[in-house]
Amino acid sequence: MKKYMVALAVVAALFATAALADSADNEDFTTASCTSSTGAALAANTSRVAALLINDGTSSIYLKIGEAAVASEGIRLNANGGSYYMSLNEGNLDREAVNCITASATVVLMVTEWSN
């Protein structure tokens, strides 16, 4: 049931991004390498309208917004597709920097940001 709910959340986020793409002036696709030391996943952006971060690796990633990331704290992105979507419509939009960390290994984080 939990996997089903996560899959529904990802699908809902992807459908919601289609509407944002129409209203945002810019859509940027990047990647970040998350390691066992805190590092930048997404820079602060005062023009951010939404962002989608997807774990493309085989280990969990932990996110912190506006501060250094710490393993096993903050927003957890499960391996193999765990995601976090932020937007004004979701009520969780933050324009501060997003940092990431893993307990071990190097993991690729796929990042999409919409801004004006």
Side-chain angles (χ1 to χ4, degrees), residues 25-82:
D25 294 333
N26 302 300
E27 181 178 47
D28 295 310
F29 301 96
T30 59
T31 60
S33 290
C34 301
T35 67
S36 58
S37 297
T38 188
L42 182 62
N45 183 350
T46 58
S47 299
R48 182 179 300 142
V49 210
L52 176 63
L53 300 97
I54 302 173
N55 182 346
D56 196 33
T58 57
S59 296
S60 296
I61 293 174
Y62 299 89
L63 303 176
K64 282 278 186 110
I65 300 172
E67 60 186 278
V70 177
S72 300
E73 291 183 13
I75 302 164
R76 177 185 167 124
L77 303 184
N78 289 329
N80 303 313

Side-chain angles (χ1 to χ4, degrees), residues 87-99:
S87 76
L88 189 58
N89 290 342
E90 295 295 317
N92 64 344
L93 179 62
D94 199 305
R95 294 181 172 104
E96 295 179 277
V98 179
N99 295 302

